[in-house]
Amino acid sequence: MMVKKDRVKALDVQSTWLQDYVNSSEKQKTLYKRTLLIVGLSQIFGGAGLAAGITVGAILAQQMLGTDSYAGVPTALFTLGSAGAAWFVGRLSQRKGRRVGLATGFILGGMGAIGVIFAAILNSVFLLFLSLLIYGAGTATNLQARYAGTDLANTKQRATAVSLSMVFTTFGAVAGPNLTEVMGKVALSIHVPALAGPFILSAVAYILAGLVFYILLRPDPLLIARAIEEKKQEADKQKSTKTSKPINNQRGVTVGATVMILTQIVMVAIMTMTPVHMKHHGHGLGEVGLVIGFHIGSMYLPSLFTGVLIDKIGRTAMTIASGVTLLLAGLVAAMAPSDSMVLLVVALSLLGLGWNLGLISGTAQIVDATEPSTRAKTQGTIDVLIALAGASGGALSGMVVAHSSYAILSLSGGILSLLLIPVIIWARGGTKENKIKVDQGF
């Protein structure tokens, strides 16, 4: 009996603080700003964990397998693992809120990184592949964290909110690859293979990112947004005799998802084989880390401006800009001499920028087209498709290079990015209402 009373009392207390936020726009604004800071802090760690593994994953597999044909498998595996994790984190966030979902995903990613370290020590390909699947949870969670900043953002803030959370990722993402040699020396000092060193950084960084969310993300912005939506629906019901149900804008969801999927395929395919291409032509780990550092910096640092531009100019124009930028990246990478560090830096920087434009404009469109009651689940499902696209790009990239060349891979990726233009043409088609929505930024 006492247990039941305590539970009722706890629910009453929860209802009270929840209503305080629902009824106060000032509290909502304060929580919105605080959420962006928490997401930003976690993204510093998450970016370091993501970038460190990307830098040496393909090289580690090449060394353990003794062939280039499967050098893209590590990227394919942790992106495939991230697909399952995206589904899991999205549904867990829908049920328990962003705090529990994101914390769980990051900690799983850290455990996967620890598994990769042991795989390198034991020279076990099976353990390597299994651990990379789990490591993918960190990749998925790092990507899904961007949604947390949009839960309490209004229509004109959504792309900016995504971009602000991604800016913080830059600090860790740039530091991760450039610590490759340092972490290699740390690994050797404790009798661990040098290529496993960056995964030591990944393990620590992902676990810290998870703890930041679990400890600090209170109250949960998604739960507040859902309560605000419920209040609005209740008010609408009282004004109208018709029962309104939240319905996703399917055209908006489809276009936003397609934009992110195409940009992910192109980016992952070219990025995955660049370290292997550089190693074949005499570049050291430090030079590989520098190029990947510029690439990942370009994936996130331009967010200082791109989010604002997307909110002001519109999703359509910036999606076209994404396709053109990725085309230029593919052309420069294909034509760059193998010994030219400058052109490789330019190509990979353009690749990162094109991905940034596509991801933020696509994400903003997904948030525009969904309601808080179903948003996390929809976002998780879409991130599954993005991860599978990345897995395909990573797996096929090694085979394309092995049977043709890095230049052919880069050129093919650039041409594929042009598909973003007919997608936007389709988005602008249809009813007059759809055209108006697109012109307003959808």
Side-chain angles (χ1 to χ4, degrees), residues 121-135:
I121 294 171
L122 300 172
N123 196 32
S124 170
V125 174
F126 173 78
L127 181 58
L128 173 68
F129 287 174
L130 178 62
S131 299
L132 284 169
L133 280 170
I134 302 172
Y135 174 77

Side-chain angles (χ1 to χ4, degrees), residues 380-397:
T381 301
I382 290 168
D383 279 1
V384 169
L385 298 176
I386 294 171
L388 290 174
S392 301
L396 293 174
S397 62

